[in-house]
Amino acid sequence: MTVAQEKQIRAPGEVAQRYARAFEDYLSDSKQDKVTVLEQVRALRKAIAQLPDLRTALADPRLDISQTEKLVKALGSALGLGEALQRFVGFIAHQRRLSGLDEILSAVLLLDARQRGEVRVEVTTARPMEDGQRESLRASLQQAGYANIAMTEHVDQTLLGGMVVRVGSVLFDTSIAGRLARLQNAMKGAA
């Protein structure tokens, strides 16, 4: 299993889940448009994933409160984040947890998916999937009893071919890299 695959199968930690539950309660009490806020959460996660300078800034423990407030305001204006999400990110910054922001946002999305009865499926392939492959996989998962599916796709060229599919806590590894690793382990046992 590659390092990228190992990171994908980890669920958000307890701290991230507590923040996610608190944010969910805040959204429920404040009558915010949850769909809009969740779209903003996805946009912020995408920005964190695509911008290495942003990841570096979030992980910097030397930032003081005034610098983190500026960072949060800059993020809010650059990404068009609403007041609810800006306040939440600001709260996380005041708690000195900006380094875990991506994990917390992931926990927010996971909690929402659970509440809607949605099953998160993470698919990692060596190259981007084509529409036919995607629909075939979706049909197979629905046939296996997973009705409401939210599929997230990742590309990891180290897989060489095949795919790794994670449904909840269950991992299906049909990748060439996975097969080679299993073969290597079997050969070690035979020696």
Side-chain angles (χ1 to χ4, degrees):
M1 179 178 301
T2 66
V3 173
Q5 289 171 317
E6 187 176 325
K7 285 181 182 177
Q8 289 173 13
I9 65 171
R10 288 190 190 136
E14 181 60 33
V15 171
Q17 291 178 34
R18 283 196 316 254
Y19 279 100
R21 286 190 297 270
F23 189 54
E24 175 69 28
D25 291 344
Y26 171 74
L27 289 178
S28 298
D29 293 344
S30 67
K31 307 289 190 239
Q32 296 283 327
D33 179 21
K34 192 173 179 180
V35 174
T36 303
V37 173
L38 291 174
E39 287 173 6
Q40 294 170 3
V41 168
R42 287 182 189 92
L44 181 53
R45 283 200 72 218
K46 185 176 179 181
I48 292 169
Q50 292 178 347
L51 302 171
D53 291 341
L54 177 57
R55 284 193 306 274
T56 302
L58 292 173
D60 190 349
R62 298 172 296 169
L63 291 179
D64 63 15
I65 297 299
S66 65
Q67 291 172 319
T68 57
E69 286 176 355
K70 289 178 185 176
L71 178 62
V72 170
K73 286 180 184 177
L75 273 174
S77 63
L79 298 174
L81 302 180
E83 180 185 349
L85 187 54
Q86 282 191 47
R87 292 182 80 182
F88 181 60
V89 174
F91 177 73
I92 292 169
H94 280 279
Q95 298 299 310
R96 313 286 291 158
R97 298 225 182 250
L98 274 181
S99 62
L101 180 61
D102 188 50
E103 182 183 14
I104 293 168
L105 296 176
S106 175
V108 167
L109 295 174
L110 182 62
L111 179 62
D112 176 64
R114 282 185 190 145
Q115 289 175 343
R116 289 185 285 112
E118 188 175 86
V119 177
R120 289 186 69 198
V121 176
E122 292 192 24
V123 181
T124 306
T125 56
R127 63 182 73 91
M129 288 197 316
E130 296 175 4
D131 291 337
Q133 292 172 314
R134 189 176 297 111
E135 291 308 314
S136 175
L137 178 59
R138 188 176 296 277
S140 296
L141 289 169
Q142 287 175 344
Q143 191 175 26
Y146 301 106
N148 192 4
I149 299 169
M151 195 178 312
T152 306
E153 298 177 25
H154 305 280
V155 175
D156 182 357
Q157 295 177 348
T158 62
L159 295 180
L160 304 174
M163 66 177 60
V164 177
V165 180
R166 183 174 72 89
V167 181
S169 62
V170 180
L171 185 70
F172 301 97
D173 186 351
T174 63
S175 67
I176 293 173
R179 289 178 188 175
L180 289 172
R182 287 189 297 276
L183 179 63
Q184 183 180 20
N185 287 337
M187 290 174 66
K188 283 180 184 177

